[in-house]
Amino acid sequence: MNINESAENYLETILILSKKLPVVRAVDIATELGFKKSSVSIAMKNLREKEYITVSDAGYISLTPAGKEIADMIYERHELFTNWLIHLGVNEKTASEDACKMEHVISKESFEAIKKHIPDLKK
């Protein structure tokens, strides 16, 4: 599963939006990320070609099982790192921004080791 940071961010955003909205469209992703719709359309084409998402005739975007697996992994990392940093005294905005960077570069092995040693910090 070799995927770049940008694609991971898009998949994570689709996951988050799918929890908030009845359907996810490219315009929703563009709004959420502050990107142009044309940039999002190109990214969606690439994700569709890699079979991480499906797009209905109506333009509704859904994660495939492979896409959801990646999105869940990135989202779990983001949540854990954000909550851990907040617990350490970092303000919420900075914690979330730093978690967004950390979630993409850490290996699965290192993340699992850290996860075992960080107490449950859910808000």
Side-chain angles (χ1 to χ4, degrees), residues 78 82 85 91-101 103:
H78 185 88
T82 299
L85 291 169
N91 76 64
E92 191 170 341
K93 182 179 185 299
T94 301
S96 182
E97 290 170 356
D98 288 347
C100 200
K101 297 169 192 163
E103 68 195 28

Side-chain angles (χ1 to χ4, degrees), residues 2-62:
N2 190 10
I3 183 167
N4 66 34
E5 182 177 331
S6 174
E8 289 177 347
N9 278 332
Y10 277 111
L11 294 172
E12 181 185 23
T13 300
I14 293 165
L15 176 70
I16 292 166
L17 289 173
S18 70
K19 294 176 186 221
K20 296 192 277 188
L21 303 173
V23 295
V24 178
R25 301 164 299 149
V27 67
D28 302 317
I29 298 166
T31 300
E32 181 75 13
L33 295 174
F35 294 165
K36 293 179 182 175
K37 189 173 178 300
S38 58
S39 298
V40 172
S41 293
I42 292 167
M44 293 305 103
K45 178 181 182 281
N46 291 333
L47 291 174
R48 191 174 60 249
E49 287 173 355
K50 292 178 181 172
E51 298 182 351
Y52 292 130
I53 64 166
T54 59
V55 182
S56 74
D57 291 340
Y60 302 152
I61 299 166
S62 301

Side-chain angles (χ1 to χ4, degrees), residues 78-92:
H78 185 88
E79 288 293 293
L80 184 129
F81 286 138
T82 299
N83 291 331
W84 181 42
L85 291 169
I86 290 169
H87 179 76
L88 294 174
V90 177
N91 76 64
E92 191 170 341

